[in-house]
Amino acid sequence: DIQMTQSPSSLSASVGDRVTITCRASQSISRYLNWYQQKPGKAPRLLIYAASSLLSGVPSRFSGSGSGTDFALTISSLQPEDFAAYYCQQSYSAPYTFGQGTKLEIK
Amino acid sequence: QVQLRESGPGLVKPSQTLSLSCTVSGGSISSGGYFWSWIRQHPGKGLEWIGYIYYSGSTYYNPSLKSRVTISVDTSKNQFSLKLTSVTAADTAVYHCARMNGDYSSAFDIWGQGTMVTVSS
């Protein structure tokens, strides 16, 4: 199985801050990396697919980068609704695996 | 737009079989290009992919659960289902159904809200 490791596991930030979450795969996954946002009691929501493609309707303050084994999700200017958990996920090969998550909290 | 909704018992006894269904509305489960998946999330923890089924009936299961999992599809009802046998407390989780979309690099683009299943006597 491909292991996905996110960092940090939690992050405190303020509205307006720029934050970056990283995700590392245990082997090369090309650009088969997706990012999700999850709020308490809700299903995950796809934000970015193929490492850097923004899903329609997702605010442009979200961006993704990387290829191979190292990836990043950046939020350019945090908004109150962005405080949530974020997960990366590889779709390169089954079994499809997720990172352990990053909890983004208000400072 | 396409929506998914899980249904099934919220409480299952140890050693019994967990059975859930996912109803697809707003679109056909027989549309090509999609793989219909089950994903679970243990309380306060991360996400674990269980397996998927194509509308034709072909399946792929996570090897960690393969011996206990069966995913089936009923195209006439626009539903797919999960059976997990010999459950233990470690199977207590929120179970989501989700659509894996080939147009989006096989990402899970649509999710059901999830259903909590507790394994307890």
Side-chain angles (χ1 to χ4, degrees):
Chain A
D1 298 6
I2 298 173
Q3 306 303 314
M4 306 301 295
T5 304
Q6 279 181 242
S7 61
S9 55
S10 64
L11 176 59
S12 293
S14 302
V15 172
D17 284 353
R18 177 185 179 93
V19 298
T20 297
I21 299 168
T22 62
C23 180
R24 175 166 287 179
S26 60
Q27 66 182 73
S28 177
I29 57 171
S30 186
R31 293 177 61 82
Y32 288 88
L33 190 283
N34 311 304
W35 289 99
Y36 302 84
Q37 176 193 66
Q38 187 179 32
K39 296 184 178 179
K42 300 292 187 181
R45 169 197 178 198
L46 177 65
L47 300 175
I48 289 171
Y49 62 96
S52 61
S53 295
L54 202 66
L55 196 69
S56 176
V58 174
S60 59
R61 62 181 179 273
F62 291 91
S63 63
S65 63
S67 66
T69 61
D70 293 305
F71 302 88
L73 171 70
T74 298
I75 309 172
S76 60
S77 178
L78 276 172
Q79 298 302 299
E81 60 269 28
D82 299 336
F83 292 93
Y86 292 84
Y87 294 90
C88 62
Q89 176 247 333
Q90 64 84 14
S91 53
Y92 180 77
S93 68
Y96 306 108
T97 47
F98 294 82
Q100 80 278 16
T102 294
K103 188 173 182 181
L104 181 52
E105 299 174 312
I106 300 175
K107 185 183 286 184
Chain B
Q1 73 274 23
V2 175
Q3 294 183 318
L4 307 180
R5 174 168 287 196
E6 305 88 351
S7 58
L11 181 64
V12 181
K13 289 182 167 47
S15 80
Q16 295 192 342
T17 297
L18 178 160
S19 296
L20 297 173
S21 292
C22 181
T23 300
V24 179
S25 59
S28 173
I29 201 169
S30 301
S31 300
Y34 306 123
F35 291 81
W36 304 93
S37 281
W38 286 97
I39 296 164
R40 69 181 183 179
Q41 186 167 28
H42 295 100
K45 299 287 179 63
L47 297 151
E48 179 181 28
W49 176 76
I50 298 170
Y52 68 56
I53 190 164
Y54 195 56
Y55 75 93
S56 62
S58 59
T59 55
Y60 195 107
Y61 303 136
N62 192 323
S64 67
L65 296 167
K66 185 177 181 178
S67 63
R68 299 194 292 130
V69 171
T70 301
I71 299 176
S72 58
V73 65
D74 187 335
T75 55
S76 67
K77 294 183 178 178
N78 229 27
Q79 283 183 346
F80 62 107
S81 299
L82 169 70
K83 289 190 186 299
L84 182 65
T85 62
S86 305
V87 297
T88 70
D91 295 308
T92 293
V94 174
Y95 286 76
H96 294 277
C97 55
R99 186 180 80 172
M100 194 166 78
N101 190 337
D103 287 342
Y104 294 143
S105 193
S106 299
F108 301 105
D109 68 329
I110 299 175
W111 295 65
Q113 64 184 18
T115 187
M116 180 69 202
V117 178
T118 301
V119 178
S120 174
S121 56

